[in-house]
Amino acid sequence: MAFSKSFTLNSGASGNYIRLTTYRWDRSVREAVALFALYLDANAAQTGKQPLVPYIAKLRLTGAKFDEYLGNAVLQDHDAIGQLYLAAKAEPVISDFGSDAFADATDV
């Protein structure tokens, strides 16, 4: 799973493939953090090339939002990675490209 959306960095480099690269969650405090990296394209990501930027956006889910996407009841029917991608499109992210950077991204 990944997103497709074009981004141009301040350096002038452009990429159009975004992939979740790392995440962690702590059920005891109901908090999750996920980092998304920008790659030149799908081929670059799939062949192990370095991302253009280690992370283009950070998603943080706490409390009720954690429960909504990663609670036990939700994960009975859905996988955690898929839920993090779903949340990244619907919830605010921390990014130089705005809190809704992935809202119109295409799932690939």
Side-chain angles (χ1 to χ4, degrees):
M1 181 164 226
F3 292 142
S4 178
K5 181 177 175 178
S6 293
F7 290 97
T8 301
L9 303 173
N10 288 337
S11 66
S14 293
N16 68 1
Y17 191 81
I18 300 98
R19 183 162 50 180
L20 174 66
T21 55
T22 189
Y23 67 93
R24 68 161 189 80
W25 77 52
D26 185 338
R27 287 188 187 282
S28 66
V29 295
R30 298 169 46 222
E31 178 180 73
V33 175
L35 300 178
F36 294 83
L38 175 66
Y39 292 84
L40 176 64
D41 54 28
N43 185 57
Q46 293 162 358
T47 58
K49 295 205 167 126
Q50 293 294 317
L52 295 174
V53 63
Y55 77 90
I56 192 169
K58 175 180 174 180
L59 171 69
R60 186 168 180 257
L61 300 172
T62 60
K65 288 299 179 181
F66 177 91
D67 296 339
E68 180 179 339
Y69 292 99
L70 298 170
N72 289 333
V74 175
L75 293 182
Q76 289 179 18
D77 298 321
H78 303 284
D79 71 282
I81 302 291
Q83 288 300 106
L84 290 170
Y85 277 100
L86 184 68
K89 287 182 80 169
E91 301 300 330
V93 295
I94 300 165
S95 173
D96 290 344
F97 295 95
S99 63
D100 63 346
F102 300 141
D104 60 348
T106 303
D107 297 330
V108 293

